[in-house]
Amino acid sequence: MSPARGRFAPSPTGPLHLGNARTALLAWLSARAAGSSFVVRIEDLDGPRVRPGVEAAILGELAWLGLDWDEGPDRGGPVGPYRQAERRDRYRAALDRLREAGFVYPCFCSRSEIAAASRAPHGPGDEGPRYPGTCRELGAAEAAARASRRPPAWRFRVPAGEVTFQDGIHGRCSFAASVETGDFVVARADGTAAYQLAVVVDDAAMRIEEVVRGDDLLPSTTRQLLLYRALELAPPRFAHLPLVVGEDGTRLAKRHGAASVAELRGRGADPRAVVGLLAALSGLARAGARVSPRELVAGFSLERVSRAPAALRRDLVEALVAG
Ligand SMILES: [Zn+2]
């Protein structure tokens, strides 16, 4: 079996819900089944949304579920720091490389200008309306003059054509970022690296071999692969899990009941029953099973994970805390 050094990269912006916990479990299982190490990285670049204490709570809940990690913000490691907010110099260096090689250009558009100029329908939700390329061909003199008035964002010059990759769950995937998002932001005007740049810089620097995450991020993989190519870095393998949804088929939310690990823990749930539920959602255990992550390692492979969206039944969640 090929090595699968893996990672789980939560944002400390809210409690760990069952969907994220399932992603962590499956990423961990894939790494451990291959005898590989596992990394926890905190994605805390979105300063205003980061809440104090949430990082510690998430780490505590992962440990309570029976997951462990070899490197992370709490225990360090050879390729740290493991918090994105402490890695800004790395992102700046990567942006410099992209700028020097001509892969990015400054963009002076405001959000409302882009919305007004874009006639295309919205692309993937994480990127907003497709960027129409307004600043793509600004001359150097014009760009310098504008930059003296206000700092620009930096956009990646997306080439025409499709990017194809092999996904561990979805198989062969093909997306045309030039059509879906257009030239995308890699650094905001305030100097903060965009998610796409930070995640590529970090996964490469942390020598991650396999990225297991929710399939809401599937379309963004194209943008990341373009950045890997431009920065001459080797990409990891990707596996995008079907999202966990409520019984009504919509994204997990408060109305679906006790969906956070902290709440289940606080109400006396057995962590083995919670892991059993997460495993059952993925087709790896029968409903009502009580198992530890360790007990699921033998024989695990991502190929065994069910491909259908996993619907979380409210009665099964409530049964975790009954009595
Ligand atoms: Zn622009």
Side-chain angles (χ1 to χ4, degrees):
M1 177 168 282
S2 55
R5 178 174 157 88
R7 49 78 153 179
F8 179 59
S11 294
T13 52
L16 185 71
H17 65 67
L18 288 174
N20 290 337
R22 188 187 71 133
T23 300
L25 173 66
L26 294 177
W28 182 92
L29 283 171
S30 193
R32 294 314 194 200
S36 295
S37 50
F38 193 65
V39 175
V40 170
R41 178 176 72 231
I42 300 296
E43 301 204 328
D44 55 355
L45 279 184
D46 193 357
R49 292 182 59 228
V50 170
R51 286 161 44 192
V54 172
E55 175 193 311
I58 290 174
L59 296 181
E61 283 142 25
L62 292 172
W64 178 74
L65 289 170
L67 302 174
D68 62 352
W69 48 97
D70 307 283
E71 301 163 35
D74 55 334
R75 50 186 309 162
V79 290
Y82 294 90
R83 289 186 194 94
Q84 290 194 324
E86 296 166 15
R87 301 177 61 80
R88 293 177 193 274
D89 54 336
R90 274 94 168 163
Y91 312 140
R92 219 164 295 140
L95 178 63
D96 287 344
R97 276 191 65 181
L98 292 172
R99 205 181 297 163
E100 279 155 25
F103 284 108
V104 295
Y105 62 87
C107 169
F108 300 89
C109 301
S110 68
R111 211 174 264 272
S112 53
E113 282 165 346
I114 294 168
S118 181
R119 272 152 302 162
H122 282 217
D126 58 320
E127 206 64 50
R130 180 182 178 280
Y131 181 66
T134 318
C135 301
R136 202 180 227 251
E137 308 303 339
L138 276 186
E142 174 67 15
R146 290 201 200 181
S148 68
R149 293 196 292 272
R150 66 161 156 154
W154 290 85
R155 286 186 183 271
F156 189 86
R157 206 180 278 278
V158 174
E162 300 206 323
V163 174
T164 300
F165 59 97
Q166 195 66 29
D167 186 84
I169 302 273
H170 293 261
R172 189 173 180 280
C173 293
S174 218
F175 294 97
S178 56
V179 177
E180 290 175 5
T181 58
D183 297 342
F184 59 90
V185 171
V186 294
R188 297 201 286 259
D190 68 2
T192 305
Y195 170 76
Q196 309 299 344
L197 180 62
V199 76
V200 165
V201 168
D202 289 347
D203 281 335
M206 295 180 178
R207 301 193 296 274
I208 301 302
E209 292 162 314
E210 180 182 76
V211 170
V212 178
R213 59 188 180 189
D215 65 8
D216 51 331
L217 289 168
L218 184 62
S220 76
T221 307
T222 308
R223 281 162 272 158
Q224 288 160 34
L225 288 169
L226 290 169
L227 287 171
Y228 277 104
R229 201 185 289 165
L231 292 165
E232 298 177 325
L233 298 168
R237 300 193 299 274
F238 291 96
H240 289 88
L241 304 167
L243 285 185
V244 178
V245 295
E247 278 178 276
D248 54 0
T250 64
R251 222 186 156 119
L252 273 193
K254 201 84 195 139
R255 68 177 180 284
H256 294 115
S260 90
V261 176
E263 185 179 346
L264 293 172
R265 185 184 184 182
R267 290 172 64 189
D270 174 358
R272 292 166 48 86
V274 178
V275 171
L277 176 65
L278 300 177
L281 276 178
S282 315
L284 301 171
R286 59 175 176 79
R290 289 177 188 251
V291 285
S292 71
R294 280 268 157 230
E295 292 166 297
L296 294 166
V297 169
F300 175 84
S301 115
L302 284 172
E303 277 141 44
R304 290 182 49 209
V305 175
S306 62
R307 265 48 178 170
L312 190 61
R313 275 173 48 193
R314 192 177 180 133
D315 59 327
L316 293 181
V317 177
E318 286 304 315
L320 296 173
V321 290

